[in-house]
Amino acid sequence: MGVISTIDYVIIAIYLAGMVGVGLWFAKKHTDFDDFFLAGRSLTTPLLITTLISTYYGIDVLFGDSQLGFTDGVVAWFGYARPTYAFFLIAAFLLAQRLREEDFKSLPDILDKYYGKNTRYVGAVTSFIYSLPALSLYGFGMLGDVILGWEPIVGMLVLGGIALVYTLTGGFWAVVLTDSIQFVLMCVVLAMAFPFAMNLIGGFDIMIEKLEPSYFDSMGDLSIWLIIIYASTGLAILVEPTFYQRVFAAKSYKNIRNALIIGIFIWGSYDWIITILAMAAKTGTLIGKTIIDPGTGELIQKTIIDPGVAPDAALLTVMVAALPAGALGLFMAGVLSTEMSTLDSYCLVAGGNVAYDIYKPAIKPDATDQELIKTTRYGILLSWVLGFAMAVSFEQMLGLWVFMASILISSVLVPILLGLYVPKFRKPLAGFLSAGLGLFSTVILNVYIMMNGTFDLEEETYIVQWLGIDFLQEFVMYITLPISLIGFFIGLALDKGGRS
């Protein structure tokens, strides 16, 4: 592994100080809750492009993609990332315009209008859980460990704490502005990292020579059922709270549509480069080099990358090994920027769930804008603390992402989409049973599997034996999404009243 120089630390420090400065600068500039939470509904296409891309491409995607690329190859792009682009197209042409037709501020607003207050509260809890910054904090722990030599918990506290400060103070305008800065850093970092990594391993020819043929198979050697689950996590986009926030914050439907179409090409390129970099890391574990043992002075053989490196840390490891001083600091700042843009966005949405979706309708309907902003900040802090607790509970990042996505999809996908497109289905009991049963069954099944299953090092997930069949934690959605759909139609049959 390369040595981190003083200039690298200086670059990181300047970046972190700048992010805090942006938050403090916006701290007193909010006129009302709409301005704090939705940037005054004035985002144009360029700002939407940068904030959408920066938000969705945090460390969870950066290292989720690379984890699969490291262990299985190009299936990380073809089977995991690529299906997501189809859902973005659906969102651009079929969903965004419908969402813009009414004056919504959040996802639970839609559930309230179609199904009533009880479903709103279930949706608010679901959105809050999904928006907990567990993935971001997990990533910060990995960054602190691999790059800075800190204990993972220290990385979570220090790096995650900085992102918390500017989110608490700056609101959505600070999120959007920092996302724009972070978007530029992300693009520069990837363009810079790729040739260094290829040079480290000796190029594509060496990669093809060293890796198993399955690494270049579009579906790899994963089971079709696991690929379907990975691809299905893209459904989360259709009910994604931060996506909805940006739809509501856009100046017009045309702005959000154009941003999504342009973003698909950038997302595709980003995912592909990350996949290849992960495969370069795997190649590095198979290539030996001769070095001098500092203790004995003898020549010894050692691989470029430690074969024991954790798959979700492989991308960081290959970059530390490949990049020179200064360039490594830019890469580290870019990775930090990638994650901070995700953490701030999700914390803000979670805070809004507490203030706007629960506190105002259930506790203080006449709350002023300043009271809502204050309560949102309390919610942001609460989400950070709970996200920290969740981050230390999971063994690996990809499993954590599937868990979060399955909660959102299983709870609100059915009532949101059926409510949007089939008005006669807008019955209170249908929405409540669908959302409630989906959320409850997802949480219960995941907890059961984690408590009673065995963590399989090869599959990198929890597995429990049911009727002689190995049931992976990722398969939970095969049960919970049908439960949500069945609950909806049971509620539809039982609810004899009119629409909510």
Side-chain angles (χ1 to χ4, degrees):
M1 181 177 294
V3 177
I4 301 175
S5 68
T6 302
I7 186 64
D8 296 322
Y9 287 114
V10 170
I11 291 171
I12 295 170
I14 291 173
Y15 166 75
L16 294 176
M19 293 301 98
V20 174
V22 168
L24 295 176
W25 190 74
F26 275 105
K28 301 295 183 182
K29 295 184 179 294
H30 309 295
T31 56
D32 54 27
F33 182 72
D34 258 19
D35 190 56
F36 181 78
F37 192 64
L38 296 175
R41 298 181 186 268
S42 60
L43 297 189
T44 57
T45 299
L47 287 174
L48 286 165
I49 290 171
T50 59
T51 189
L52 281 166
I53 291 173
S54 296
T55 295
Y56 286 121
Y57 279 73
I59 287 179
D60 44 305
V61 174
L62 191 67
F63 296 131
D65 280 1
S66 64
Q67 177 183 329
L68 198 56
F70 181 85
T71 57
D72 295 281
V74 296
V75 67
W77 193 86
F78 287 98
Y80 178 56
R82 186 178 58 169
T84 303
Y85 314 141
F87 293 118
F88 276 121
L89 279 175
I90 292 171
F93 289 103
L94 300 179
L95 186 60
Q97 187 169 17
R98 185 64 64 92
L99 293 173
R100 291 284 306 184
E101 290 174 356
E102 306 203 42
D103 188 32
F104 298 125
K105 285 187 175 72
S106 68
L107 181 149
D109 254 0
I110 304 169
L111 294 171
D112 191 345
K113 180 176 176 60
Y114 295 163
Y115 306 108
K117 286 285 187 292
N118 289 335
T119 309
R120 177 195 188 98
Y121 298 142
V122 175
V125 171
T126 298
S127 177
F128 179 81
I129 294 173
Y130 175 80
S131 300
L132 294 177
L135 288 161
S136 303
L137 290 169
Y138 185 105
F140 282 135
M142 188 192 308
L143 278 170
D145 179 25
V146 175
I147 290 182
L148 301 173
W150 297 346
E151 288 295 322
I153 288 180
V154 175
M156 293 181 195
L157 291 172
V158 174
L159 301 175
I162 291 171
L164 175 65
V165 168
Y166 75 75
T167 307
L168 281 171
T169 54
F172 196 44
W173 269 121
V175 169
V176 170
L177 181 58
T178 54
D179 281 354
S180 300
I181 299 169
Q182 290 154 350
F183 170 78
V184 173
L185 264 177
M186 287 162 57
C187 293
V188 170
V189 160
L190 281 181
M192 176 183 65
F194 187 79
F196 279 107
M198 290 298 102
N199 181 65
L200 178 71
I201 65 168
F204 280 108
D205 290 342
I206 300 298
M207 183 185 292
I208 294 170
E209 176 188 331
K210 294 292 183 181
L211 296 180
E212 294 291 331
S214 63
Y215 270 75
F216 304 96
D217 185 333
S218 60
M219 293 296 104
D221 57 3
L222 296 179
S223 75
I224 186 62
W225 302 110
L226 195 57
I227 290 175
I228 290 172
I229 285 295
Y230 286 151
S232 298
T233 60
L235 286 167
I237 291 163
L238 303 182
V239 284
E240 227 281 351
T242 59
F243 167 65
Y244 278 38
Q245 183 189 34
R246 281 147 182 78
V247 171
F248 304 144
K251 197 171 185 178
S252 69
Y253 160 66
K254 182 179 178 181
N255 292 129
I256 190 70
R257 182 200 65 198
N258 292 346
L260 285 169
I261 293 171
I262 295 169
I264 286 171
F265 293 98
I266 301 173
W267 282 315
S269 302
Y270 189 100
D271 281 324
W272 182 250
I273 293 175
I274 291 300
T275 300
I276 298 301
L277 289 175
M279 292 169 66
K282 180 64 176 181
T283 305
T285 66
L286 304 173
I287 298 175
K289 64 178 180 178
T290 302
I291 63 171
I292 299 175
D293 189 319
T296 65
E298 296 178 355
L299 295 177
I300 59 172
Q301 283 290 320
K302 187 177 181 181
T303 56
I304 294 174
I305 304 295
D306 180 3
V309 65
D312 53 9
L315 180 64
L316 278 180
T317 306
V318 73
M319 287 297 95
V320 173
L323 293 175
L328 179 57
L330 285 174
F331 174 79
M332 291 155 63
V335 172
L336 284 171
S337 74
T338 300
E339 195 44 48
M340 288 194 174
S341 65
T342 303
L343 185 144
D344 58 24
S345 295
Y346 283 103
C347 277
L348 185 61
V349 167
N353 293 144
V354 172
Y356 178 74
D357 295 313
I358 297 176
Y359 173 75
K360 183 176 181 179
I363 299 173
K364 195 172 184 182
D366 60 347
T368 65
D369 281 344
Q370 290 307 309
E371 287 174 322
L372 285 177
I373 292 173
K374 182 179 180 180
T375 308
T376 299
R377 286 173 169 149
Y378 287 140
I380 290 170
L381 183 59
L382 175 63
S383 73
W384 193 99
V385 172
L386 293 178
F388 178 86
M390 186 178 289
V392 299
S393 301
F394 273 75
E395 299 282 348
Q396 45 92 27
M397 185 172 285
L398 195 56
L400 178 55
W401 159 240
V402 173
F403 170 69
M404 303 285 276
S406 64
I407 281 182
L408 184 71
I409 293 168
S410 300
S411 179
V412 299
L413 181 72
V414 170
I416 286 285
L417 295 186
L418 290 180
L420 278 171
Y421 292 102
V422 191
K424 67 179 182 180
F425 283 176
R426 296 173 186 173
K427 300 288 184 73
L429 188 59
F432 178 70
L433 285 180
S434 178
L437 290 174
L439 174 61
F440 180 77
S441 61
T442 304
V443 172
I444 291 299
L445 279 173
N446 274 284
V447 171
Y448 173 83
I449 291 173
M450 290 177 68
M451 291 182 65
N452 295 280
T454 302
F455 187 80
D456 188 287
L457 292 176
E458 183 176 344
E459 296 288 348
E460 294 191 313
T461 189
Y462 284 94
I463 298 177
V464 67
Q465 282 275 332
W466 281 347
L467 303 176
I469 299 173
D470 285 343
F471 191 89
L472 279 63
Q473 187 176 9
E474 282 81 354
F475 292 169
V476 161
M477 205 158 47
Y478 282 126
I479 296 175
T480 57
L481 188 56
I483 286 175
S484 177
L485 185 62
I486 292 168
F488 187 92
F489 284 102
I490 289 174
L492 199 64
L494 295 177
D495 193 330
K496 302 302 181 181
R499 298 176 196 169
S500 66

